[in-house]
mmCIF file of all heavy atoms in Angstrom:
data_model
loop_
_atom_site.group_PDB
_atom_site.id
_atom_site.type_symbol
_atom_site.label_atom_id
_atom_site.label_comp_id
_atom_site.label_asym_id
_atom_site.label_seq_id
_atom_site.Cartn_x
_atom_site.Cartn_y
_atom_site.Cartn_z
ATOM 1 N N MET A 1 94.754 114.663 78.910
ATOM 2 C CA MET A 1 94.778 113.380 79.454
ATOM 3 C C MET A 1 94.519 113.401 80.941
ATOM 4 O O MET A 1 93.654 114.165 81.370
ATOM 5 C CB MET A 1 96.209 112.789 79.134
ATOM 6 C CG MET A 1 96.183 111.297 79.261
ATOM 7 S SD MET A 1 97.731 110.586 78.832
ATOM 8 C CE MET A 1 97.786 109.457 80.081
ATOM 9 N N LEU A 2 95.106 112.697 81.705
ATOM 10 C CA LEU A 2 94.912 112.481 83.119
ATOM 11 C C LEU A 2 95.558 113.707 83.858
ATOM 12 O O LEU A 2 96.611 113.921 83.908
ATOM 13 C CB LEU A 2 95.603 111.247 83.615
ATOM 14 C CG LEU A 2 95.458 110.825 85.060
ATOM 15 C CD1 LEU A 2 93.954 110.436 85.280
ATOM 16 C CD2 LEU A 2 96.320 109.682 85.444
ATOM 17 N N PHE A 3 94.606 114.540 84.566
ATOM 18 C CA PHE A 3 94.998 115.679 85.363
ATOM 19 C C PHE A 3 95.814 116.645 84.593
ATOM 20 O O PHE A 3 96.646 117.352 85.071
ATOM 21 C CB PHE A 3 95.785 115.278 86.607
ATOM 22 C CG PHE A 3 95.050 114.343 87.529
ATOM 23 C CD1 PHE A 3 95.457 112.964 87.651
ATOM 24 C CD2 PHE A 3 93.883 114.753 88.188
ATOM 25 C CE1 PHE A 3 94.728 112.168 88.544
ATOM 26 C CE2 PHE A 3 93.196 113.917 88.970
ATOM 27 C CZ PHE A 3 93.650 112.656 89.200
ATOM 28 N N GLY A 4 95.596 116.774 83.249
ATOM 29 C CA GLY A 4 96.305 117.666 82.439
ATOM 30 C C GLY A 4 97.710 117.275 82.061
ATOM 31 O O GLY A 4 98.512 118.029 81.716
ATOM 32 N N LEU A 5 98.056 116.083 82.342
ATOM 33 C CA LEU A 5 99.400 115.555 82.082
ATOM 34 C C LEU A 5 99.418 114.889 80.637
ATOM 35 O O LEU A 5 98.538 114.230 80.323
ATOM 36 C CB LEU A 5 99.845 114.510 83.041
ATOM 37 C CG LEU A 5 99.958 114.968 84.510
ATOM 38 C CD1 LEU A 5 100.273 113.737 85.486
ATOM 39 C CD2 LEU A 5 101.038 115.938 84.664
ATOM 40 N N GLY A 6 100.601 115.107 79.946
ATOM 41 C CA GLY A 6 100.693 114.476 78.702
ATOM 42 C C GLY A 6 101.454 113.149 78.720
ATOM 43 O O GLY A 6 101.902 112.742 79.931
ATOM 44 N N TRP A 7 101.656 112.468 77.687
ATOM 45 C CA TRP A 7 102.321 111.186 77.677
ATOM 46 C C TRP A 7 103.786 111.284 78.190
ATOM 47 O O TRP A 7 104.273 110.384 78.958
ATOM 48 C CB TRP A 7 102.323 110.585 76.353
ATOM 49 C CG TRP A 7 100.975 110.019 76.029
ATOM 50 C CD1 TRP A 7 100.111 110.494 75.050
ATOM 51 C CD2 TRP A 7 100.332 108.896 76.592
ATOM 52 N NE1 TRP A 7 98.942 109.760 75.088
ATOM 53 C CE2 TRP A 7 99.009 108.797 76.058
ATOM 54 C CE3 TRP A 7 100.619 108.066 77.620
ATOM 55 C CZ2 TRP A 7 98.149 107.833 76.298
ATOM 56 C CZ3 TRP A 7 99.812 107.016 77.949
ATOM 57 C CH2 TRP A 7 98.506 106.961 77.338
ATOM 58 N N PRO A 8 104.593 112.377 77.853
ATOM 59 C CA PRO A 8 105.852 112.333 78.448
ATOM 60 C C PRO A 8 105.940 112.476 79.986
ATOM 61 O O PRO A 8 106.771 111.846 80.612
ATOM 62 C CB PRO A 8 106.601 113.675 77.783
ATOM 63 C CG PRO A 8 105.709 113.943 76.519
ATOM 64 C CD PRO A 8 104.405 113.463 76.884
ATOM 65 N N GLU A 9 105.071 113.300 80.450
ATOM 66 C CA GLU A 9 105.026 113.399 81.994
ATOM 67 C C GLU A 9 104.600 112.032 82.608
ATOM 68 O O GLU A 9 105.159 111.602 83.681
ATOM 69 C CB GLU A 9 104.042 114.540 82.451
ATOM 70 C CG GLU A 9 104.448 115.901 82.029
ATOM 71 C CD GLU A 9 104.066 116.331 80.633
ATOM 72 O OE1 GLU A 9 103.434 115.518 79.987
ATOM 73 O OE2 GLU A 9 104.404 117.449 80.297
ATOM 74 N N VAL A 10 103.607 111.388 82.021
ATOM 75 C CA VAL A 10 103.208 110.073 82.582
ATOM 76 C C VAL A 10 104.373 109.126 82.471
ATOM 77 O O VAL A 10 104.543 108.258 83.452
ATOM 78 C CB VAL A 10 101.884 109.564 81.834
ATOM 79 C CG1 VAL A 10 101.661 108.159 82.257
ATOM 80 C CG2 VAL A 10 100.721 110.506 82.034
ATOM 81 N N ALA A 11 105.065 109.080 81.325
ATOM 82 C CA ALA A 11 106.275 108.105 81.288
ATOM 83 C C ALA A 11 107.280 108.433 82.302
ATOM 84 O O ALA A 11 107.804 107.497 82.913
ATOM 85 C CB ALA A 11 106.785 108.308 79.924
ATOM 86 N N ILE A 12 107.553 109.658 82.639
ATOM 87 C CA ILE A 12 108.494 110.079 83.634
ATOM 88 C C ILE A 12 108.043 109.596 85.027
ATOM 89 O O ILE A 12 108.832 109.029 85.784
ATOM 90 C CB ILE A 12 108.810 111.529 83.592
ATOM 91 C CG1 ILE A 12 109.581 111.924 82.344
ATOM 92 C CG2 ILE A 12 109.609 111.951 84.824
ATOM 93 C CD1 ILE A 12 109.733 113.363 82.044
ATOM 94 N N ILE A 13 106.797 109.767 85.315
ATOM 95 C CA ILE A 13 106.243 109.368 86.646
ATOM 96 C C ILE A 13 106.296 107.871 86.775
ATOM 97 O O ILE A 13 106.669 107.313 87.798
ATOM 98 C CB ILE A 13 104.731 109.896 86.770
ATOM 99 C CG1 ILE A 13 104.756 111.365 86.858
ATOM 100 C CG2 ILE A 13 104.083 109.240 87.915
ATOM 101 C CD1 ILE A 13 103.369 111.967 86.764
ATOM 102 N N VAL A 14 106.043 107.120 85.704
ATOM 103 C CA VAL A 14 106.153 105.641 85.720
ATOM 104 C C VAL A 14 107.530 105.156 85.958
ATOM 105 O O VAL A 14 107.749 104.291 86.824
ATOM 106 C CB VAL A 14 105.553 105.029 84.472
ATOM 107 C CG1 VAL A 14 105.781 103.551 84.350
ATOM 108 C CG2 VAL A 14 104.046 105.246 84.373
ATOM 109 N N ILE A 15 108.499 105.829 85.325
ATOM 110 C CA ILE A 15 109.948 105.395 85.375
ATOM 111 C C ILE A 15 110.399 105.747 86.772
ATOM 112 O O ILE A 15 111.064 104.848 87.443
ATOM 113 C CB ILE A 15 110.768 106.156 84.390
ATOM 114 C CG1 ILE A 15 110.507 105.617 83.047
ATOM 115 C CG2 ILE A 15 112.261 106.011 84.688
ATOM 116 C CD1 ILE A 15 111.050 106.352 81.801
ATOM 117 N N VAL A 16 109.986 106.888 87.346
ATOM 118 C CA VAL A 16 110.429 107.175 88.726
ATOM 119 C C VAL A 16 109.783 106.222 89.803
ATOM 120 O O VAL A 16 110.472 105.772 90.707
ATOM 121 C CB VAL A 16 110.038 108.644 89.036
ATOM 122 C CG1 VAL A 16 110.104 108.990 90.541
ATOM 123 C CG2 VAL A 16 110.896 109.631 88.251
ATOM 124 N N ALA A 17 108.510 105.811 89.539
ATOM 125 C CA ALA A 17 107.845 104.882 90.392
ATOM 126 C C ALA A 17 108.547 103.564 90.436
ATOM 127 O O ALA A 17 108.834 102.948 91.468
ATOM 128 C CB ALA A 17 106.435 104.725 90.003
ATOM 129 N N ILE A 18 108.982 103.152 89.234
ATOM 130 C CA ILE A 18 109.780 101.811 89.056
ATOM 131 C C ILE A 18 111.088 101.901 89.737
ATOM 132 O O ILE A 18 111.496 100.981 90.417
ATOM 133 C CB ILE A 18 109.889 101.361 87.635
ATOM 134 C CG1 ILE A 18 108.548 101.036 87.088
ATOM 135 C CG2 ILE A 18 110.887 100.256 87.438
ATOM 136 C CD1 ILE A 18 108.505 100.741 85.536
ATOM 137 N N VAL A 19 111.791 103.024 89.633
ATOM 138 C CA VAL A 19 113.094 103.140 90.328
ATOM 139 C C VAL A 19 112.881 103.194 91.813
ATOM 140 O O VAL A 19 113.676 102.589 92.543
ATOM 141 C CB VAL A 19 113.774 104.484 89.811
ATOM 142 C CG1 VAL A 19 115.058 104.836 90.613
ATOM 143 C CG2 VAL A 19 114.133 104.323 88.297
ATOM 144 N N ILE A 20 111.875 103.931 92.244
ATOM 145 C CA ILE A 20 111.766 104.055 93.793
ATOM 146 C C ILE A 20 111.217 102.782 94.361
ATOM 147 O O ILE A 20 111.812 102.292 95.328
ATOM 148 C CB ILE A 20 110.783 105.178 94.101
ATOM 149 C CG1 ILE A 20 111.471 106.565 93.711
ATOM 150 C CG2 ILE A 20 110.417 105.241 95.574
ATOM 151 C CD1 ILE A 20 110.509 107.763 93.861
ATOM 152 N N PHE A 21 110.155 102.168 93.820
ATOM 153 C CA PHE A 21 109.469 101.012 94.431
ATOM 154 C C PHE A 21 109.987 99.701 93.881
ATOM 155 O O PHE A 21 109.818 98.601 94.577
ATOM 156 C CB PHE A 21 107.985 101.185 94.362
ATOM 157 C CG PHE A 21 107.405 102.323 94.973
ATOM 158 C CD1 PHE A 21 106.873 103.357 94.203
ATOM 159 C CD2 PHE A 21 107.409 102.389 96.315
ATOM 160 C CE1 PHE A 21 106.319 104.486 94.817
ATOM 161 C CE2 PHE A 21 106.827 103.557 96.961
ATOM 162 C CZ PHE A 21 106.285 104.602 96.148
ATOM 163 N N GLY A 22 110.521 99.679 92.690
ATOM 164 C CA GLY A 22 110.905 98.390 92.103
ATOM 165 C C GLY A 22 109.710 97.719 91.362
ATOM 166 O O GLY A 22 108.532 97.909 91.725
ATOM 167 N N PRO A 23 110.094 96.963 90.332
ATOM 168 C CA PRO A 23 108.996 96.385 89.497
ATOM 169 C C PRO A 23 108.100 95.373 90.229
ATOM 170 O O PRO A 23 106.953 95.090 89.810
ATOM 171 C CB PRO A 23 109.805 95.781 88.312
ATOM 172 C CG PRO A 23 111.106 95.644 88.783
ATOM 173 C CD PRO A 23 111.405 96.674 89.835
ATOM 174 N N LYS A 24 108.653 94.708 91.289
ATOM 175 C CA LYS A 24 107.870 93.733 91.949
ATOM 176 C C LYS A 24 106.856 94.402 92.910
ATOM 177 O O LYS A 24 105.733 93.818 93.213
ATOM 178 C CB LYS A 24 108.766 92.831 92.834
ATOM 179 C CG LYS A 24 109.713 91.913 92.010
ATOM 180 C CD LYS A 24 110.475 91.006 92.725
ATOM 181 C CE LYS A 24 111.342 90.178 91.851
ATOM 182 N NZ LYS A 24 112.246 89.305 92.649
ATOM 183 N N LYS A 25 107.067 95.558 93.383
ATOM 184 C CA LYS A 25 106.170 96.193 94.323
ATOM 185 C C LYS A 25 105.030 96.993 93.640
ATOM 186 O O LYS A 25 104.027 97.291 94.205
ATOM 187 C CB LYS A 25 107.001 97.195 95.191
ATOM 188 C CG LYS A 25 106.309 97.699 96.408
ATOM 189 C CD LYS A 25 106.224 96.740 97.422
ATOM 190 C CE LYS A 25 105.671 97.395 98.699
ATOM 191 N NZ LYS A 25 105.396 96.511 99.700
ATOM 192 N N ILE A 26 105.255 97.348 92.358
ATOM 193 C CA ILE A 26 104.243 98.155 91.646
ATOM 194 C C ILE A 26 102.911 97.581 91.539
ATOM 195 O O ILE A 26 101.866 98.155 91.813
ATOM 196 C CB ILE A 26 104.812 98.528 90.175
ATOM 197 C CG1 ILE A 26 106.082 99.368 90.293
ATOM 198 C CG2 ILE A 26 103.696 99.255 89.310
ATOM 199 C CD1 ILE A 26 105.918 100.750 90.852
ATOM 200 N N PRO A 27 102.701 96.278 91.173
ATOM 201 C CA PRO A 27 101.335 95.673 91.222
ATOM 202 C C PRO A 27 100.687 95.687 92.522
ATOM 203 O O PRO A 27 99.533 95.904 92.551
ATOM 204 C CB PRO A 27 101.640 94.138 90.745
ATOM 205 C CG PRO A 27 102.899 94.198 90.037
ATOM 206 C CD PRO A 27 103.736 95.293 90.720
ATOM 207 N N GLU A 28 101.499 95.427 93.609
ATOM 208 C CA GLU A 28 100.887 95.524 94.871
ATOM 209 C C GLU A 28 100.303 96.950 95.253
ATOM 210 O O GLU A 28 99.243 97.125 95.827
ATOM 211 C CB GLU A 28 101.839 95.113 96.053
ATOM 212 C CG GLU A 28 102.408 93.699 95.898
ATOM 213 C CD GLU A 28 103.478 93.472 96.917
ATOM 214 O OE1 GLU A 28 103.688 94.203 97.894
ATOM 215 O OE2 GLU A 28 104.130 92.397 96.653
ATOM 216 N N LEU A 29 101.098 97.937 94.841
ATOM 217 C CA LEU A 29 100.666 99.375 95.080
ATOM 218 C C LEU A 29 99.430 99.649 94.271
ATOM 219 O O LEU A 29 98.546 100.324 94.703
ATOM 220 C CB LEU A 29 101.810 100.299 94.677
ATOM 221 C CG LEU A 29 103.055 100.267 95.620
ATOM 222 C CD1 LEU A 29 104.053 101.120 95.088
ATOM 223 C CD2 LEU A 29 102.626 100.736 97.011
ATOM 224 N N GLY A 30 99.364 99.130 93.044
ATOM 225 C CA GLY A 30 98.248 99.405 92.185
ATOM 226 C C GLY A 30 97.029 98.703 92.752
ATOM 227 O O GLY A 30 95.870 99.255 92.681
ATOM 228 N N ASN A 31 97.143 97.580 93.281
ATOM 229 C CA ASN A 31 96.055 96.847 93.842
ATOM 230 C C ASN A 31 95.524 97.489 95.116
ATOM 231 O O ASN A 31 94.276 97.712 95.258
ATOM 232 C CB ASN A 31 96.539 95.390 94.319
ATOM 233 C CG ASN A 31 95.340 94.528 94.709
ATOM 234 O OD1 ASN A 31 94.222 94.827 94.563
ATOM 235 N ND2 ASN A 31 95.624 93.399 95.336
ATOM 236 N N ALA A 32 96.395 98.065 95.881
ATOM 237 C CA ALA A 32 96.001 98.759 97.091
ATOM 238 C C ALA A 32 95.279 100.145 96.681
ATOM 239 O O ALA A 32 94.294 100.481 97.251
ATOM 240 C CB ALA A 32 97.203 99.096 97.979
ATOM 241 N N LEU A 33 95.844 100.748 95.703
ATOM 242 C CA LEU A 33 95.233 102.013 95.190
ATOM 243 C C LEU A 33 93.769 101.725 94.639
ATOM 244 O O LEU A 33 92.787 102.499 94.843
ATOM 245 C CB LEU A 33 96.042 102.638 94.135
ATOM 246 C CG LEU A 33 95.557 103.943 93.508
ATOM 247 C CD1 LEU A 33 95.417 105.051 94.598
ATOM 248 C CD2 LEU A 33 96.419 104.391 92.354
ATOM 249 N N GLY A 34 93.604 100.685 93.857
ATOM 250 C CA GLY A 34 92.331 100.242 93.372
ATOM 251 C C GLY A 34 91.353 99.985 94.448
ATOM 252 O O GLY A 34 90.177 100.406 94.308
ATOM 253 N N LYS A 35 91.722 99.228 95.511
ATOM 254 C CA LYS A 35 90.768 99.009 96.622
ATOM 255 C C LYS A 35 90.413 100.261 97.306
ATOM 256 O O LYS A 35 89.256 100.452 97.662
ATOM 257 C CB LYS A 35 91.420 98.037 97.594
ATOM 258 C CG LYS A 35 91.570 96.633 97.121
ATOM 259 C CD LYS A 35 92.197 95.774 98.118
ATOM 260 C CE LYS A 35 92.340 94.316 97.676
ATOM 261 N NZ LYS A 35 92.965 93.486 98.619
ATOM 262 N N THR A 36 91.354 101.171 97.500
ATOM 263 C CA THR A 36 91.102 102.487 98.136
ATOM 264 C C THR A 36 90.131 103.330 97.339
ATOM 265 O O THR A 36 89.067 103.808 97.884
ATOM 266 C CB THR A 36 92.372 103.266 98.313
ATOM 267 O OG1 THR A 36 93.334 102.507 99.075
ATOM 268 C CG2 THR A 36 92.153 104.512 99.089
ATOM 269 N N LEU A 37 90.316 103.357 95.970
ATOM 270 C CA LEU A 37 89.485 104.171 95.164
ATOM 271 C C LEU A 37 88.030 103.512 95.193
ATOM 272 O O LEU A 37 87.004 104.301 95.065
ATOM 273 C CB LEU A 37 89.980 104.203 93.787
ATOM 274 C CG LEU A 37 91.204 105.113 93.561
ATOM 275 C CD1 LEU A 37 91.751 105.089 92.161
ATOM 276 C CD2 LEU A 37 90.953 106.457 93.973
ATOM 277 N N ARG A 38 87.983 102.178 95.112
ATOM 278 C CA ARG A 38 86.580 101.562 95.100
ATOM 279 C C ARG A 38 85.870 101.847 96.400
ATOM 280 O O ARG A 38 84.619 102.111 96.451
ATOM 281 C CB ARG A 38 86.712 100.014 95.023
ATOM 282 C CG ARG A 38 86.823 99.565 93.546
ATOM 283 C CD ARG A 38 86.822 98.037 93.443
ATOM 284 N NE ARG A 38 87.921 97.565 94.221
ATOM 285 C CZ ARG A 38 88.895 96.898 93.613
ATOM 286 N NH1 ARG A 38 88.939 96.616 92.413
ATOM 287 N NH2 ARG A 38 90.011 96.455 94.244
ATOM 288 N N GLY A 39 86.593 101.821 97.551
ATOM 289 C CA GLY A 39 86.079 102.206 98.817
ATOM 290 C C GLY A 39 85.526 103.587 98.821
ATOM 291 O O GLY A 39 84.335 103.811 99.306
ATOM 292 N N PHE A 40 86.265 104.592 98.274
ATOM 293 C CA PHE A 40 85.810 105.931 98.257
ATOM 294 C C PHE A 40 84.566 106.046 97.336
ATOM 295 O O PHE A 40 83.639 106.730 97.706
ATOM 296 C CB PHE A 40 86.909 106.868 97.690
ATOM 297 C CG PHE A 40 87.965 107.181 98.690
ATOM 298 C CD1 PHE A 40 89.326 107.267 98.218
ATOM 299 C CD2 PHE A 40 87.700 107.427 100.022
ATOM 300 C CE1 PHE A 40 90.340 107.545 99.119
ATOM 301 C CE2 PHE A 40 88.705 107.783 100.890
ATOM 302 C CZ PHE A 40 89.986 107.820 100.509
ATOM 303 N N LYS A 41 84.610 105.329 96.225
ATOM 304 C CA LYS A 41 83.415 105.362 95.335
ATOM 305 C C LYS A 41 82.151 104.951 96.002
ATOM 306 O O LYS A 41 81.124 105.379 95.846
ATOM 307 C CB LYS A 41 83.787 104.632 94.069
ATOM 308 C CG LYS A 41 82.784 104.705 92.964
ATOM 309 C CD LYS A 41 83.187 103.952 91.757
ATOM 310 C CE LYS A 41 82.161 103.967 90.662
ATOM 311 N NZ LYS A 41 82.599 103.242 89.518
ATOM 312 N N GLU A 42 82.350 103.707 96.742
ATOM 313 C CA GLU A 42 81.201 103.162 97.394
ATOM 314 C C GLU A 42 80.668 104.118 98.505
ATOM 315 O O GLU A 42 79.479 104.249 98.712
ATOM 316 C CB GLU A 42 81.547 101.796 98.058
ATOM 317 C CG GLU A 42 81.730 100.728 97.019
ATOM 318 C CD GLU A 42 82.235 99.436 97.552
ATOM 319 O OE1 GLU A 42 82.434 99.359 98.864
ATOM 320 O OE2 GLU A 42 82.594 98.568 96.842
ATOM 321 N N GLU A 43 81.602 104.789 99.241
ATOM 322 C CA GLU A 43 81.195 105.749 100.271
ATOM 323 C C GLU A 43 80.472 106.924 99.682
ATOM 324 O O GLU A 43 79.486 107.474 100.234
ATOM 325 C CB GLU A 43 82.369 106.212 101.086
ATOM 326 C CG GLU A 43 82.913 105.074 101.992
ATOM 327 C CD GLU A 43 81.950 104.772 103.046
ATOM 328 O OE1 GLU A 43 81.164 105.576 103.625
ATOM 329 O OE2 GLU A 43 81.836 103.418 103.331
ATOM 330 N N ILE A 44 80.911 107.427 98.521
ATOM 331 C CA ILE A 44 80.305 108.589 97.891
ATOM 332 C C ILE A 44 78.900 108.135 97.413
ATOM 333 O O ILE A 44 77.901 108.905 97.680
ATOM 334 C CB ILE A 44 81.148 109.097 96.692
ATOM 335 C CG1 ILE A 44 82.414 109.684 97.213
ATOM 336 C CG2 ILE A 44 80.337 110.039 95.838
ATOM 337 C CD1 ILE A 44 83.407 110.036 96.196
ATOM 338 N N LYS A 45 78.810 106.932 96.786
ATOM 339 C CA LYS A 45 77.394 106.553 96.354
ATOM 340 C C LYS A 45 76.493 106.266 97.544
ATOM 341 O O LYS A 45 75.291 106.684 97.577
ATOM 342 C CB LYS A 45 77.571 105.192 95.588
ATOM 343 C CG LYS A 45 78.015 105.396 94.149
ATOM 344 C CD LYS A 45 77.976 104.071 93.488
ATOM 345 C CE LYS A 45 78.428 104.249 92.081
ATOM 346 N NZ LYS A 45 78.430 102.975 91.306
ATOM 347 N N GLY A 46 77.015 105.818 98.627
ATOM 348 C CA GLY A 46 76.239 105.546 99.886
ATOM 349 C C GLY A 46 75.765 106.806 100.504
ATOM 350 O O GLY A 46 74.671 106.920 100.924
ATOM 351 N N SER A 47 76.734 107.766 100.539
ATOM 352 C CA SER A 47 76.354 109.041 101.254
ATOM 353 C C SER A 47 75.355 109.865 100.403
ATOM 354 O O SER A 47 74.450 110.438 100.912
ATOM 355 C CB SER A 47 77.559 109.874 101.593
ATOM 356 O OG SER A 47 78.205 110.230 100.349
ATOM 357 N N SER A 48 75.545 109.743 99.131
ATOM 358 C CA SER A 48 74.507 110.439 98.259
ATOM 359 C C SER A 48 73.189 109.848 98.317
ATOM 360 O O SER A 48 72.153 110.488 98.166
ATOM 361 C CB SER A 48 75.016 110.528 96.731
ATOM 362 O OG SER A 48 75.068 109.257 96.162
ATOM 363 N N GLY A 49 73.115 108.492 98.448
ATOM 364 C CA GLY A 49 71.875 107.830 98.601
ATOM 365 C C GLY A 49 71.180 108.137 99.906
ATOM 366 O O GLY A 49 69.989 108.294 100.018
ATOM 367 N N ASP A 50 71.988 108.267 100.941
ATOM 368 C CA ASP A 50 71.433 108.697 102.267
ATOM 369 C C ASP A 50 70.894 110.111 102.088
ATOM 370 O O ASP A 50 69.840 110.325 102.755
ATOM 371 C CB ASP A 50 72.464 108.648 103.335
ATOM 372 C CG ASP A 50 72.953 107.192 103.642
ATOM 373 O OD1 ASP A 50 72.230 106.243 103.219
ATOM 374 O OD2 ASP A 50 74.010 107.015 104.242
ATOM 375 N N ASN A 51 71.509 110.989 101.532
ATOM 376 C CA ASN A 51 71.127 112.406 101.428
ATOM 377 C C ASN A 51 69.731 112.410 100.628
ATOM 378 O O ASN A 51 68.888 113.241 100.959
ATOM 379 C CB ASN A 51 72.167 113.252 100.698
ATOM 380 C CG ASN A 51 73.294 113.459 101.611
ATOM 381 O OD1 ASN A 51 73.331 113.244 102.768
ATOM 382 N ND2 ASN A 51 74.442 113.892 100.990
ATOM 383 N N ASN A 52 69.655 111.591 99.595
ATOM 384 C CA ASN A 52 68.432 111.669 98.855
ATOM 385 C C ASN A 52 67.182 111.150 99.615
ATOM 386 O O ASN A 52 66.110 111.735 99.553
ATOM 387 C CB ASN A 52 68.572 110.881 97.589
ATOM 388 C CG ASN A 52 69.404 111.491 96.489
ATOM 389 O OD1 ASN A 52 69.655 112.720 96.571
ATOM 390 N ND2 ASN A 52 69.942 110.679 95.593
ATOM 391 N N SER A 53 67.442 110.074 100.405
ATOM 392 C CA SER A 53 66.327 109.602 101.219
ATOM 393 C C SER A 53 65.919 110.504 102.337
ATOM 394 O O SER A 53 64.741 110.634 102.685
ATOM 395 C CB SER A 53 66.679 108.222 101.810
ATOM 396 O OG SER A 53 67.779 108.255 102.738
ATOM 397 N N GLU A 54 66.854 111.226 102.963
ATOM 398 C CA GLU A 54 66.560 112.189 103.938
ATOM 399 C C GLU A 54 65.915 113.405 103.363
ATOM 400 O O GLU A 54 64.933 113.977 103.958
ATOM 401 C CB GLU A 54 67.878 112.626 104.682
ATOM 402 C CG GLU A 54 68.566 111.510 105.552
ATOM 403 C CD GLU A 54 69.835 112.095 106.119
ATOM 404 O OE1 GLU A 54 70.210 113.147 105.955
ATOM 405 O OE2 GLU A 54 70.474 111.191 106.767
ATOM 406 N N HIS A 55 66.263 113.745 102.195
ATOM 407 C CA HIS A 55 65.668 114.927 101.472
ATOM 408 C C HIS A 55 64.194 114.637 101.087
ATOM 409 O O HIS A 55 63.435 115.580 101.171
ATOM 410 C CB HIS A 55 66.525 115.315 100.335
ATOM 411 C CG HIS A 55 66.113 116.608 99.642
ATOM 412 N ND1 HIS A 55 66.192 117.781 100.286
ATOM 413 C CD2 HIS A 55 65.589 116.855 98.475
ATOM 414 C CE1 HIS A 55 65.698 118.764 99.451
ATOM 415 N NE2 HIS A 55 65.399 118.205 98.356
ATOM 416 N N GLU A 56 63.883 113.526 100.746
ATOM 417 C CA GLU A 56 62.616 113.092 100.323
ATOM 418 C C GLU A 56 61.551 113.070 101.471
ATOM 419 O O GLU A 56 60.392 113.327 101.306
ATOM 420 C CB GLU A 56 62.510 111.766 99.644
ATOM 421 C CG GLU A 56 63.272 111.771 98.262
ATOM 422 C CD GLU A 56 63.323 110.345 97.706
ATOM 423 O OE1 GLU A 56 62.870 109.393 98.338
ATOM 424 O OE2 GLU A 56 63.942 110.239 96.544
ATOM 425 N N GLN A 57 62.080 112.874 102.680
ATOM 426 C CA GLN A 57 61.148 112.717 103.828
ATOM 427 C C GLN A 57 60.727 114.063 104.274
ATOM 428 O O GLN A 57 60.388 115.010 104.397
ATOM 429 C CB GLN A 57 61.746 112.106 105.028
ATOM 430 C CG GLN A 57 62.113 110.621 104.680
ATOM 431 C CD GLN A 57 62.920 109.930 105.836
ATOM 432 O OE1 GLN A 57 63.276 110.574 106.786
ATOM 433 N NE2 GLN A 57 63.031 108.674 105.707
#
């Protein structure tokens, strides 16, 4: 599964996150994580596109 973790490990991580952050804060953290990952993905695509155009010249 995700990073070699099974369902029991994922369940424990989710429970610990809810205890630490509270159920109201979890959606905000997920939203921030999603925006961060999208930004990284766009930067990776942009930098690989720049490398290809430089390599072709």
Side-chain angles (χ1 to χ4, degrees):
M1 199 177 136
L2 183 70
F3 300 113
L5 298 175
W7 286 110
E9 291 89 0
V10 172
I12 291 171
I13 292 170
V14 169
I15 291 170
V16 169
I18 290 173
V19 168
I20 291 174
F21 298 111
K24 293 183 180 178
K25 191 76 171 173
I26 297 293
E28 294 174 18
L29 293 172
N31 189 14
L33 180 63
K35 286 181 181 179
T36 302
L37 292 176
R38 273 188 299 249
F40 283 140
K41 187 176 179 181
E42 290 173 2
E43 288 297 321
I44 289 172
K45 283 184 178 180
S47 65
S48 66
D50 292 342
N51 289 341
N52 288 339
S53 64
E54 290 176 4
H55 186 63
E56 291 173 356
Q57 293 177 354

